[in-house]
Amino acid sequence: MLEKDIEKRLRKQVKKLGGVALKLTSPGRAGVPDRLILFPGGRVVFVETKAPGKKLRPLQEKRFEQLQNLGFRAVKIDSVEGVGELIDNEVKNQIG
């Protein structure tokens, strides 16, 4: 499975929930996550997609820490199952 396949699945599943998966590019600020996920109800998740088993680079880890310290959710997804976990959590948040 390639990173692009995981990212495609993520976009498709987010759209099914009525959300938007924006591609992030940040000139002058390397290491930002690949996607900014906007879910109904104002929920925001930053997502870095990786090929299975690939780790975050040190700069990406730093950006994750910065985002989390600001109160944002930042997750790495490297599998179809990881996409499912994110979507399942959001479905629970919509209901609860």
Side-chain angles (χ1 to χ4, degrees):
M1 167 122 343
L2 300 173
E3 179 180 340
K4 70 178 184 176
D5 299 321
I6 295 168
E7 196 165 357
K8 183 178 180 181
R9 173 72 63 97
L10 175 66
R11 290 190 323 266
K12 183 177 178 180
Q13 294 300 314
V14 167
K15 186 176 181 179
K16 277 186 179 180
L17 283 181
V20 179
L22 301 173
K23 179 73 174 172
L24 284 181
T25 56
S26 184
R29 175 84 48 175
V32 296
D34 295 321
R35 295 279 170 177
L36 174 62
I37 309 297
L38 307 174
F39 286 107
R43 290 182 310 281
V44 175
V45 182
F46 289 87
V47 176
E48 176 66 32
T49 54
K50 292 283 187 188
K54 295 290 183 177
K55 298 183 185 238
L56 295 175
R57 296 186 319 267
L59 184 55
Q60 290 174 317
E61 289 177 1
K62 180 181 177 181
R63 296 290 179 240
F64 265 51
E65 185 179 329
Q66 289 173 328
L67 291 166
Q68 290 165 346
N69 286 340
L70 290 168
F72 292 103
R73 190 166 166 214
V75 299
K76 177 189 95 163
I77 296 179
D78 66 354
S79 66
V80 170
E81 294 80 13
V83 172
E85 289 173 19
L86 175 68
I87 297 303
D88 289 347
N89 285 335
E90 287 308 312
V91 168
K92 289 176 189 173
N93 285 336
Q94 284 181 352
I95 294 169

